């Protein structure tokens, strides 16, 4: 029986609390309030740094993501009963994680009233707990689509046979449910979960012509609002054209309404950004009482004109077969008015036997419009296959209806236009939704080691440490002193992904010779033993025993040998940072790894991938060019792949996907690829890139639909550098206090007496000339080694200097020289590009390319004009200058708000190829 979820608030400790007992101490306890459920810890007497380490349990409601957990710390008065507040914390439920992902967090205590005297921090762990019997976790965020279809699809792939028509999601999901559940009740839960997953995510069908909508978080009620005919549209169609103009006029009917003969008209809210695609759906459920004696190997053929689909057949004899497979026939390709469903018996030798058929007139097939309930299947009597109206033994359960790609059956259906695909190819053409693995920084602080005994005991070792995680290997420097107890205190940083299957291998080596290192000891540590850290606190360090056989154990455990070398390490998984896996210029996610630190989303991004036109042929098939195109969209941790459209230079996908947006200064990337797994070129199964499109979300207005056609380009992003003035930084950071004081005095004089600016400049140059008199050249100048960098010239540069003309060296060597020259030119181009980017950002402030940035800037300009008019120029200059030259004690380590705002503005680097 399913257990109730519990919210666990693990109250660990508190630090630096405010004294309350009149004797410089306090007797604190913690009270937690969640949805009017109150619970409290024990009281720790006489302590400003109490440790409770106590768990409090509350009934958890998954729909309560907009509520808060209120944690209050009180001082218990004695002997007179009573309590006084030491501080409180309000924690949003939206970032609570499941058990196993919880991390110790410190929260600064807040005041309840303005005049309250509060200080200190409280350490907590918060998570959702289930019993071991509960295998089905409800979503922590019901409004967010579930994106675990990758594992489902991969598991399904093993169940598909060589026949392309035997790969259908319904039957595969049932097989998956059978392997995952032990009873019928569990099976139904899993089926409902998978169907819900597909309704939310997987059924989508769009292209490089895109429709985009950015929904603001302030209007969540608009999420289900249909797109009406009068909805404002921008004539920008993000249709990925290969070699056509980007502003072609397109006649699109997005959010088309489907007729419903029962309830009139209803809007299809799930697919309101794409064009409707109509399909004839046939769901083959099961059959019973078939006419063959002794059982059969039955299967079903669904025939519509020239299209024919076939279910899988059973290997065992059965008279009650169950398929539960869906066939989809595109309406625009239907060339028949009759749908025929044949039931056949698979024969090992000879021709398969006909068991009966059912015939449908397409004019009588109903139309189903979501959100109407799915059409219920019905039993139909089998007729003689010769078409004489004679009824034979047996019945088949079918459901036949006309629908669109918004139908729940669309993701799991077999499509008639992909009938030529067989075997594993069917798995490669289906649309999929993937979730990128969660990345952590693994910080390994190598502190010291003891008893490092080399193989040659007559010498002291030159010891260094090598750390390895998968394909990543980092080394410390060699200990500067030759000793058996070396000291490093160096940090090594790795990137690891969940689930933590790899191990951290620490190897201590001795530099015996310049070209030879010997292993002194090695230890292998699993990732799940390391503590996760979200803030700047230090995790406890540990000593590890090592030996030359590569087996390490913790010091508290029993040693295998009487003597063992040891190494002192501090290791933790960093969750407070965002692991960079994209270029900073086109980043799509800025959130830290730990969900507990995520902020609330600012809106929803909806993209309808419509189609592409004018694609270049990527394959040569029968002396004819062809392309099997699909589109991939990547934003944040989720990336999606549309289905593959076979043999078309103008594919239409019409798929729609949704992402939660946490930061508007991010970019979504869409790429179009040719599927190389269907018809491999020269036996190589590799998908070829057709082109790419990037869209910066800050350029989109909220609650507005954009449709646009973009040329498809293969883009290669280039990073930028920053330029600074070193001397001014030294002055502001008070590196040389005497110089900083003089600069402040000079600044005061120039502000108070602006007429002295020019005289002061010339006087400054006079004194500089006098100062340089004492270091004047005593001899005539000659060639300077430092200016020429002659002492740093390498053999390659000397060889180039003394080479003949024309060159006497090989072509490879000349090519290396040109590569070196190009690298110098590239650095110059990077600096020039950086300067251009700053100018483009300034221009962006008034160009309305980023509507939010321009709105803020013009409001700031209006306010600044009023301030500068009302305040004397001297006062404004003095305040700004003193703020800029302030002492480091008054500076924050974080960048200022204006600087952060300017750096996050987009430049034309988004358009670089």
């Amino acid at each position: 029986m399913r257990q109730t979820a519990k919210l666990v608030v693990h109250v660990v400790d508190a630090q630096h609390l405010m004294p309350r007992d009149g004797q410089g101490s306090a007797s604190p306890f913690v009270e937690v309030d969640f949805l009017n459920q109150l619970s409290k810890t024990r009281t720790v007497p006489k302590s400003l740094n109490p440790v409770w380490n106590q768990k409090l349990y509350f009934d958890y409601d998954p729909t309560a993501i907009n509520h808060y957990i209120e944690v209050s710390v009180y001082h218990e008065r004695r002997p007179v009963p009573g309590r006084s507040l030491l501080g409180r914390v309000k924690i949003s439920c939206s970032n609570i994680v499941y058990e196993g992902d919880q991390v110790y967090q410190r929260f600064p205590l807040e005041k309840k009233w303005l005049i309250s005297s509060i200080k200190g921090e409280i350490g907590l762990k918060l998570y959702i707990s289930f019993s071991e019997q509960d295998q089905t976790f409800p979503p922590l965020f019901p409004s967010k689509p579930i994106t675990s279809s990758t594992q489902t699809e991969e598991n399904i792939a093993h169940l598909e046979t060589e026949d392309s028509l035997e790969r259908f999601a319904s039957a595969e999901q049932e097989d998956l449910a059978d392997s995952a559940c032990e009873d019928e009740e569990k099976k139904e839960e899993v089926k409902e979960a998978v169907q819900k997953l597909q309704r939310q995510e997987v059924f989508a069908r769009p292209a490089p012509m895109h429709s985009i909508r950015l929904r603001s978080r302030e209007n969540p009620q608009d999420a289900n609002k249909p797109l009406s005919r009068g909805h404002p549209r921008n004539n920008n169609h993000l249709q990925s054209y290969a070699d056509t103009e980007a502003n072609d006029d397109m006649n699109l009917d997005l959010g088309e309404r489907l007729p419903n003969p029962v309830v009139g008209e209803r809007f299809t809210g799930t697919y309101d950004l794409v064009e409707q695609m109509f399909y004839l759906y046939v769901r083959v459920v099961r059959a019973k009482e078939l006419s063959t004696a002794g059982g059969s190997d039955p299967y079903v053929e669904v025939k519509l004109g020239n299209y024919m689909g076939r279910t899988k057949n059973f290997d065992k004899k059965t008279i009650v077969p169950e398929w539960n497979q869906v066939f989809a026939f595109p309406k625009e390709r239907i060339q028949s008015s009759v749908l025929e469903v044949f039931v056949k018996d698979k024969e090992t030798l000879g021709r398969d036997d006909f068991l009966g058929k059912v015939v449908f007139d397409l004019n009588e097939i109903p139309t189903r419009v979501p959100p109407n309930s799915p059409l219920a299947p019905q039993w139909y009597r089998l007729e003689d296959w010769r078409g004489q109206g004679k009824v034979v033994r047996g019945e088949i359960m079918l459901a036949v209806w006309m629908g669109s790609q918004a139908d729940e059956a669309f993701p799991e259906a077999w499509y008639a236009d992909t009938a030529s695909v067989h075997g594993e190819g069917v798995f490669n053409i289906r649309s999929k939704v993937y979730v990128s693995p969660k990345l952590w920084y693994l910080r390994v602080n190598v502190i010291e080691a003891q008893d490092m005994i080399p193989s040659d005991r007559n010498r002291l070792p030159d010891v260094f440490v090598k750390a390895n995680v998968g394909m990543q290997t980092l080394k410390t420097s060699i200990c500067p002193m030759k000793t058996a107890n070396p000291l490093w205190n160096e940090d090594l940083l790795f990137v690891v992904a969940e689930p933590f299957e790899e191990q951290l291998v620490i190897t201590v080596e001795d530099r015996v010779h310049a070209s030879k290192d010997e292993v002194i000891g090695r230890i292998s540590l699993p990732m799940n033993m390391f503590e996760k850290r979200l803030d700047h606190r230090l995790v406890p360090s540990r000593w590890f025993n090592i030996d030359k056989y590569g087996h390490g154990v913790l010091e508290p455990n029993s040693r295998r040998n009487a003597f063992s070398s040891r190494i002192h390490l501090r290791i933790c998984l960093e969750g407070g940072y965002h692991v960079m896996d994209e270029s900073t210029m086109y980043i799509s996610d800025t959130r830290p790894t730990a969900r507990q630190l995520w902020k609330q989303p600012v809106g929803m991004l909806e993209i309808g991938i419509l189609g592409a036109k004018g694609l270049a042929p990527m394959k040569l098939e029968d002396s004819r060019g062809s392309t099997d195109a699909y589109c991939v969209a990547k934003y944040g941790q989720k990336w999606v792949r549309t289905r593959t459209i076979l043999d078309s230079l103008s594919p239409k996908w019409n798929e729609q996907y949704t992402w939660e947006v946490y930061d508007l200064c991010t970019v979504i990337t869409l790429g179009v690829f040719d599927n190389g797994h269907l018809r491999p070129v020269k036996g190589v199964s590799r998908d070829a890139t057709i082109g790419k499109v990037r869209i910066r979300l800050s350029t989109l207005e909220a609650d507005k639909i954009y449709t646009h056609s973009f040329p498809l380009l293969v883009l290669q992003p280039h990073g930028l550098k920053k330029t600074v003035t070193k001397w001014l930084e030294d002055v502001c950071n008070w590196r040389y206090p005497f110089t900083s004081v003089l600069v402040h005095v000079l600044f005061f004089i120039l502000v108070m007496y602006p007429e002295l600016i020019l005289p002061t400049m010339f006087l400054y140059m006079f004194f500089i000339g006098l100062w340089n008199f004492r270091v004047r050249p005593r001899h005539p100048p000659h060639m300077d080694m430092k200016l020429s960098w002659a002492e740093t010239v390498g053999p390659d540069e000397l060889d180039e200097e003394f080479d003949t003309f024309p060159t006497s060296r090989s072509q490879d060597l000349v090519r290396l020289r040109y590569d070196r020259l190009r690298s110098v030119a590239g650095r110059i181009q990077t600096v020039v590009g950086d300067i251009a980017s700053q100018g483009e950002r300034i221009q962006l402030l008034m160009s309305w390319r980023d509507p939010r940035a321009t709105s803020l800037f013009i409001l700031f300009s209006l306010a600044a004009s009023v301030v500068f008019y009302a305040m004397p120029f001297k006062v404004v200059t003095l305040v700004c200058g003193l703020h800029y030259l302030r002492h480091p004690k008054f500076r924050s380590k974080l960048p200022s708000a204006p600087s952060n705002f300017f750096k996050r503005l987009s430049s034309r680097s988004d358009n670089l190829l």
Side-chain angles (χ1 to χ4, degrees), residues 460-669:
L460 290 174
D462 286 331
V463 184
F464 66 94
V465 175
K466 184 192 321 184
N468 174 266
V469 178
M471 303 297 293
Q472 307 172 74
T473 301
L474 297 175
K475 299 179 182 179
T476 67
S477 60
I478 297 177
C479 181
M481 297 179 60
K482 291 188 176 183
T483 175
N485 301 311
L487 177 66
W488 298 279
N489 198 23
E490 294 185 21
D491 277 352
L492 306 178
L493 204 62
F494 300 89
V495 175
V496 296
E498 291 185 353
F500 303 119
E501 298 177 351
E502 298 172 332
Q503 292 195 340
L504 171 65
V505 180
I506 302 292
T507 307
V508 183
E509 300 188 11
D510 176 23
R511 179 61 55 85
V512 179
H513 188 266
S515 60
K516 182 181 180 182
D517 300 326
E518 287 187 354
V519 176
I520 296 179
R522 180 179 289 122
I523 184 173
S524 182
L525 304 172
M527 294 289 177
N528 53 15
M529 69 178 297
F530 304 140
E531 184 176 349
K532 295 178 180 178
R533 185 176 75 169
L534 304 186
D535 51 19
H536 60 278
R537 67 183 179 85
L538 289 177
V539 300
S541 59
R542 293 197 245 178
W543 284 95
F544 296 90
N545 297 330
I546 61 176
D547 55 46
K548 290 189 176 182
Y549 303 99
H551 300 285
V553 292
L554 288 176
E555 187 181 21
N557 296 342
S558 60
R559 297 184 180 180
R560 229 180 284 132
N561 303 319
F563 173 82
S564 176
S565 302
R566 303 196 307 167
I567 186 169
H568 193 194
L569 304 173
R570 177 181 285 111
I571 309 175
C572 67
L573 292 164
E574 299 277 5
Y577 305 98
H578 172 70
V579 180
M580 299 297 293
D581 58 345
E582 300 171 300
S583 170
T584 55
M585 302 303 299
Y586 319 115
I587 194 168
S588 64
D589 189 11
T590 58
R591 293 171 295 173
T593 298
R595 181 180 290 274
Q596 294 93 325
L597 301 180
W598 289 6
K599 297 181 179 180
Q600 290 288 339
V602 297
M604 300 290 293
L605 171 67
E606 296 177 286
I607 290 189
I609 307 177
L610 305 179
K613 291 185 178 180
L615 299 183
M618 305 298 292
K619 304 184 185 76
L620 190 62
E621 186 80 10
D622 298 330
S623 301
R624 181 180 58 87
S626 66
T627 298
D628 303 324
Y630 65 89
C631 183
V632 172
K634 167 69 168 66
Y635 181 77
Q637 294 183 344
K638 177 176 127 182
W639 60 284
V640 299
R641 168 180 172 171
T642 68
R643 62 192 176 102
T644 300
I645 304 299
L646 303 180
D647 195 13
S648 175
L649 301 182
S650 298
K652 290 185 178 181
W653 294 285
N654 283 308
E655 301 189 15
Q656 185 169 329
Y657 297 96
T658 304
W659 287 266
E660 283 189 336
V661 177
Y662 292 84
D663 189 344
L664 287 176
C665 296
T666 47
V667 175
I668 184 170
T669 302

Side-chain angles (χ1 to χ4, degrees), residues 175-204:
D175 293 339
L176 182 63
D178 290 338
S179 62
C181 308
E182 297 180 357
D183 52 49
E184 203 62 28
E185 180 180 355
K186 292 281 187 175
K187 292 180 185 178
E188 293 300 323
E189 291 182 5
V190 173
K191 290 179 185 177
E192 293 175 1
V194 174
Q195 292 172 1
K196 181 180 180 181
L197 179 149
Q198 293 182 337
R199 286 196 298 270
Q200 292 176 336
E201 282 278 19
V202 180
F203 59 97

Side-chain angles (χ1 to χ4, degrees), residues 83-343:
R83 65 182 186 180
S84 58
L85 182 68
L86 297 176
R88 68 170 184 172
V89 176
K90 293 184 71 176
I91 305 168
S92 173
C93 295
S94 61
N95 293 340
I96 306 300
V97 298
Y98 285 125
E99 185 175 8
D101 293 332
Q102 71 270 20
V103 180
Y104 174 80
Q105 295 177 264
R106 289 179 180 174
F107 299 90
L109 295 175
E110 302 172 354
K111 300 179 180 179
K112 188 173 183 179
W113 311 106
L114 183 62
I115 60 175
S116 301
S117 179
I118 299 296
K119 71 173 185 178
E121 299 176 321
I122 185 170
L124 303 171
K125 295 182 181 180
L126 303 103
Y127 56 95
I128 308 301
S129 176
F130 293 85
S131 65
E132 295 183 358
Q133 290 80 12
D134 189 10
Q135 302 293 332
T136 307
F137 291 169
L140 286 178
F141 311 98
S143 61
K144 183 175 181 179
I146 304 172
T147 55
S148 60
S149 63
T150 305
Q151 293 137 357
T152 306
E153 290 282 1
E154 291 177 353
N155 292 333
I156 288 173
H158 297 288
L159 303 176
E160 298 176 335
T161 63
E162 295 181 355
D163 192 337
S164 64
L165 308 184
E166 296 178 6
R167 307 170 63 92
F168 303 97
S170 297
E172 294 159 351
Q173 291 158 5
E174 291 183 2
D175 293 339
L176 182 63
D178 290 338
S179 62
C181 308
E182 297 180 357
D183 52 49
E184 203 62 28
E185 180 180 355
K186 292 281 187 175
K187 292 180 185 178
E188 293 300 323
E189 291 182 5
V190 173
K191 290 179 185 177
E192 293 175 1
V194 174
Q195 292 172 1
K196 181 180 180 181
L197 179 149
Q198 293 182 337
R199 286 196 298 270
Q200 292 176 336
E201 282 278 19
V202 180
F203 59 97
R205 305 285 160 253
M209 179 161 75
H210 310 294
S211 302
I212 305 173
R213 173 168 56 202
L214 183 65
R215 282 178 173 155
S216 62
R217 192 68 175 181
E218 291 75 17
N219 298 317
Q221 66 272 16
D222 293 341
N224 297 321
K225 186 182 293 184
L227 174 62
S228 64
R229 302 280 183 176
H231 196 289
R233 291 186 182 132
N234 189 321
N235 192 19
N236 284 354
H237 230 108
L238 206 170
Q239 168 152 18
S240 320
Y241 286 151
D243 295 302
T244 58
E245 290 294 326
N247 295 321
D248 291 345
D249 185 22
M250 286 156 293
N251 183 17
L252 296 177
D253 196 358
L254 305 184
E256 183 178 351
R257 294 178 292 182
L258 300 179
N260 191 318
V262 179
V263 294
E265 291 185 338
R266 285 199 180 186
F267 289 96
T268 55
T270 306
Y271 281 78
D272 57 356
L273 294 182
V274 296
E275 295 181 277
Q276 296 295 329
M277 301 170 60
F278 294 95
Y279 290 86
L280 173 64
Y281 290 99
V282 181
R283 178 182 293 277
V284 181
V285 183
R286 64 173 64 91
K288 66 179 181 180
E289 300 178 0
L290 298 178
S291 58
T292 56
S296 62
D297 297 332
Y299 65 92
V300 177
E301 283 185 356
V302 181
K303 184 178 181 181
L304 181 64
N306 295 328
Y307 292 113
M308 184 176 67
R310 170 180 161 177
T311 68
K312 61 183 178 181
N313 62 283
F314 292 86
D315 295 333
K316 57 184 179 179
K317 300 293 183 179
T318 179
I319 59 173
V320 188
E322 185 170 347
W323 299 279
N324 201 20
Q325 298 179 6
V326 181
F327 301 84
F329 301 89
K331 182 180 179 181
E332 67 272 10
R333 298 188 181 183
I334 294 177
Q335 300 177 352
S336 175
S337 60
V338 174
L339 170 70
E340 297 177 296
V341 180
F342 296 93
V343 182

Side-chain angles (χ1 to χ4, degrees), residues 803 807-819:
D803 194 5
T807 181
S808 60
R809 298 296 183 260
S810 65
Q811 293 183 359
D812 293 339
L813 184 57
V814 175
R815 187 180 296 108
L816 289 176
R817 294 175 182 173
Y818 277 106
D819 289 341

